[in-house]
Short mmCIF file of all heavy atoms in Angstrom, two decimals:
data_model
loop_
_atom_site.label_atom_id
_atom_site.label_comp_id
_atom_site.label_asym_id
_atom_site.label_seq_id
_atom_site.Cartn_x
_atom_site.Cartn_y
_atom_site.Cartn_z
N LEU H 194 -0.37 -10.04 -18.84
CA LEU H 194 0.37 -11.10 -19.29
C LEU H 194 -0.01 -12.31 -18.71
O LEU H 194 -0.51 -12.42 -17.53
CB LEU H 194 1.74 -10.76 -19.01
CG LEU H 194 2.39 -9.32 -19.39
CD1 LEU H 194 3.83 -9.26 -18.95
CD2 LEU H 194 2.24 -9.21 -20.87
N ASP H 195 0.18 -13.51 -19.47
CA ASP H 195 0.00 -14.86 -18.85
C ASP H 195 1.26 -15.21 -18.20
O ASP H 195 2.39 -14.48 -18.24
CB ASP H 195 -0.59 -15.69 -19.78
CG ASP H 195 0.34 -16.06 -20.96
OD1 ASP H 195 1.48 -15.62 -20.82
OD2 ASP H 195 -0.05 -16.76 -21.92
N ALA H 196 1.33 -16.48 -17.67
CA ALA H 196 2.59 -16.91 -16.96
C ALA H 196 3.81 -16.93 -17.94
O ALA H 196 4.91 -16.86 -17.45
CB ALA H 196 2.26 -18.24 -16.42
N SER H 197 3.57 -17.12 -19.24
CA SER H 197 4.68 -17.21 -20.07
C SER H 197 5.15 -15.83 -20.72
O SER H 197 6.13 -15.73 -21.35
CB SER H 197 4.19 -18.08 -21.32
OG SER H 197 3.24 -17.52 -22.10
N GLY H 198 4.41 -14.72 -20.33
CA GLY H 198 4.71 -13.44 -20.73
C GLY H 198 4.09 -13.01 -21.96
O GLY H 198 4.30 -11.93 -22.53
N LYS H 199 3.05 -13.77 -22.44
CA LYS H 199 2.33 -13.42 -23.60
C LYS H 199 1.37 -12.32 -23.19
O LYS H 199 0.61 -12.45 -22.32
CB LYS H 199 1.58 -14.64 -24.25
CG LYS H 199 0.79 -14.30 -25.41
CD LYS H 199 0.11 -15.58 -25.90
CE LYS H 199 -0.81 -15.26 -27.19
NZ LYS H 199 -1.57 -16.50 -27.64
N SER H 200 1.13 -11.42 -24.07
CA SER H 200 0.27 -10.27 -23.82
C SER H 200 -1.17 -10.74 -24.25
O SER H 200 -1.55 -11.23 -25.29
CB SER H 200 0.45 -9.10 -24.61
OG SER H 200 -0.38 -8.04 -24.40
N LEU H 201 -2.07 -10.62 -23.11
CA LEU H 201 -3.60 -11.03 -23.30
C LEU H 201 -4.44 -9.84 -23.62
O LEU H 201 -5.52 -10.03 -24.22
CB LEU H 201 -4.03 -11.79 -22.05
CG LEU H 201 -3.17 -12.99 -21.70
CD1 LEU H 201 -3.75 -13.58 -20.37
CD2 LEU H 201 -3.07 -13.93 -22.75
N ALA H 202 -4.06 -8.69 -23.08
CA ALA H 202 -4.94 -7.49 -23.38
C ALA H 202 -3.93 -6.30 -23.14
O ALA H 202 -3.06 -6.29 -22.38
CB ALA H 202 -6.11 -7.36 -22.36
N THR H 203 -4.28 -5.17 -23.93
CA THR H 203 -3.38 -3.96 -23.97
C THR H 203 -4.31 -2.75 -23.96
O THR H 203 -5.45 -2.78 -24.46
CB THR H 203 -2.40 -3.96 -25.07
OG1 THR H 203 -1.68 -5.16 -25.14
CG2 THR H 203 -1.57 -2.80 -25.05
N ALA H 204 -3.97 -1.80 -23.11
CA ALA H 204 -4.58 -0.53 -23.15
C ALA H 204 -3.66 0.58 -23.22
O ALA H 204 -2.58 0.44 -22.56
CB ALA H 204 -5.53 -0.40 -21.86
N VAL H 205 -3.85 1.57 -23.92
CA VAL H 205 -2.94 2.73 -24.15
C VAL H 205 -3.70 4.03 -23.78
O VAL H 205 -4.78 4.21 -24.12
CB VAL H 205 -2.43 2.79 -25.52
CG1 VAL H 205 -1.52 3.95 -25.72
CG2 VAL H 205 -1.76 1.47 -25.83
N ARG H 206 -2.94 4.94 -23.13
CA ARG H 206 -3.44 6.26 -22.67
C ARG H 206 -2.73 7.34 -23.38
O ARG H 206 -1.46 7.42 -23.18
CB ARG H 206 -3.41 6.44 -21.18
CG ARG H 206 -3.83 7.69 -20.62
CD ARG H 206 -5.48 7.71 -20.54
NE ARG H 206 -5.93 8.91 -19.85
CZ ARG H 206 -6.12 8.99 -18.46
NH1 ARG H 206 -5.97 7.82 -17.84
NH2 ARG H 206 -6.64 9.97 -17.81
N GLY H 207 -3.33 8.04 -24.23
CA GLY H 207 -2.67 9.19 -24.82
C GLY H 207 -1.61 8.70 -25.88
O GLY H 207 -1.84 7.64 -26.50
N THR H 208 -0.57 9.36 -25.93
CA THR H 208 0.55 8.98 -27.00
C THR H 208 1.47 8.16 -26.16
O THR H 208 2.22 8.72 -25.42
CB THR H 208 1.20 10.26 -27.51
OG1 THR H 208 0.13 11.12 -28.15
CG2 THR H 208 2.30 9.92 -28.61
N ALA H 209 1.38 6.86 -26.43
CA ALA H 209 2.35 5.93 -25.57
C ALA H 209 3.58 5.82 -26.19
O ALA H 209 3.84 6.16 -27.47
CB ALA H 209 1.58 4.68 -25.46
N SER H 210 4.52 5.30 -25.43
CA SER H 210 5.87 5.01 -25.93
C SER H 210 5.86 3.77 -26.85
O SER H 210 4.81 3.04 -26.86
CB SER H 210 6.91 4.80 -24.87
OG SER H 210 6.41 3.74 -24.05
N PRO H 211 6.94 3.44 -27.49
CA PRO H 211 6.94 2.13 -28.40
C PRO H 211 6.55 1.00 -27.50
O PRO H 211 6.76 0.99 -26.29
CB PRO H 211 8.32 2.03 -28.90
CG PRO H 211 8.74 3.54 -28.90
CD PRO H 211 8.15 4.28 -27.73
N ALA H 212 5.95 -0.02 -28.16
CA ALA H 212 5.44 -1.21 -27.21
C ALA H 212 6.63 -1.81 -26.48
O ALA H 212 7.64 -1.98 -26.88
CB ALA H 212 4.87 -2.22 -28.26
N ALA H 213 6.20 -2.13 -25.18
CA ALA H 213 7.20 -2.68 -24.33
C ALA H 213 7.62 -4.06 -24.83
O ALA H 213 8.85 -4.46 -24.48
CB ALA H 213 6.63 -2.78 -22.94
N ALA H 214 6.85 -4.63 -25.69
CA ALA H 214 7.22 -6.10 -26.17
C ALA H 214 8.69 -5.93 -26.91
O ALA H 214 9.35 -6.79 -26.96
CB ALA H 214 6.27 -6.60 -27.09
N HIS H 215 8.86 -4.80 -27.63
CA HIS H 215 10.15 -4.58 -28.27
C HIS H 215 11.34 -4.53 -27.47
O HIS H 215 12.40 -4.73 -27.86
CB HIS H 215 10.02 -3.28 -29.23
CG HIS H 215 8.96 -3.41 -30.26
ND1 HIS H 215 8.66 -4.44 -30.96
CD2 HIS H 215 8.02 -2.44 -30.52
CE1 HIS H 215 7.65 -4.22 -31.78
NE2 HIS H 215 7.27 -2.96 -31.45
N ASN H 216 11.12 -4.29 -26.20
CA ASN H 216 12.26 -4.21 -25.28
C ASN H 216 12.43 -5.45 -24.41
O ASN H 216 13.20 -5.58 -23.49
CB ASN H 216 12.01 -2.96 -24.31
CG ASN H 216 11.99 -1.73 -25.00
OD1 ASN H 216 12.66 -1.60 -26.06
ND2 ASN H 216 11.07 -0.78 -24.62
N GLY H 217 11.61 -6.40 -24.71
CA GLY H 217 11.68 -7.70 -23.95
C GLY H 217 11.14 -7.60 -22.46
O GLY H 217 11.45 -8.48 -21.72
N LEU H 218 10.45 -6.52 -22.17
CA LEU H 218 9.92 -6.26 -20.82
C LEU H 218 8.93 -7.38 -20.41
O LEU H 218 8.96 -7.76 -19.18
CB LEU H 218 9.37 -4.92 -20.73
CG LEU H 218 10.50 -3.83 -20.71
CD1 LEU H 218 9.89 -2.41 -20.62
CD2 LEU H 218 11.50 -3.96 -19.58
N PRO H 219 7.97 -7.72 -21.35
CA PRO H 219 7.00 -8.77 -20.89
C PRO H 219 7.64 -10.08 -20.38
O PRO H 219 7.22 -10.54 -19.44
CB PRO H 219 6.18 -8.94 -22.05
CG PRO H 219 6.23 -7.65 -22.91
CD PRO H 219 7.62 -7.26 -22.63
N ALA H 220 8.59 -10.56 -21.14
CA ALA H 220 9.26 -11.77 -20.79
C ALA H 220 10.08 -11.54 -19.38
O ALA H 220 10.01 -12.48 -18.50
CB ALA H 220 10.27 -12.27 -21.82
N ALA H 221 10.67 -10.36 -19.23
CA ALA H 221 11.33 -10.19 -18.00
C ALA H 221 10.38 -10.03 -16.81
O ALA H 221 10.74 -10.48 -15.68
CB ALA H 221 12.16 -8.92 -18.07
N ALA H 222 9.30 -9.41 -17.03
CA ALA H 222 8.17 -9.28 -16.00
C ALA H 222 7.65 -10.69 -15.63
O ALA H 222 7.54 -11.01 -14.42
CB ALA H 222 7.12 -8.38 -16.35
N ALA H 223 7.46 -11.61 -16.61
CA ALA H 223 6.90 -12.89 -16.22
C ALA H 223 7.99 -13.75 -15.48
O ALA H 223 7.61 -14.38 -14.58
CB ALA H 223 6.56 -13.58 -17.61
N ARG H 224 9.22 -13.57 -15.88
CA ARG H 224 10.26 -14.22 -15.10
C ARG H 224 10.33 -13.75 -13.66
O ARG H 224 10.56 -14.55 -12.75
CB ARG H 224 11.67 -14.15 -15.90
CG ARG H 224 11.73 -14.85 -17.17
CD ARG H 224 13.21 -14.96 -17.59
NE ARG H 224 13.78 -13.62 -17.89
CZ ARG H 224 13.70 -12.99 -19.02
NH1 ARG H 224 13.17 -13.63 -20.07
NH2 ARG H 224 14.26 -11.70 -19.14
N ALA H 225 10.33 -12.43 -13.49
CA ALA H 225 10.41 -11.86 -12.16
C ALA H 225 9.27 -12.32 -11.32
O ALA H 225 9.40 -12.79 -10.17
CB ALA H 225 10.55 -10.35 -12.23
#
Side-chain angles (χ1 to χ4, degrees):
L194 312 175
D195 62 12
S197 65
K199 180 182 177 181
S200 180
L201 307 181
T203 303
V205 179
R206 177 82 167 267
T208 305
S210 59
H215 298 315
N216 299 323
L218 292 177
R224 288 193 299 268

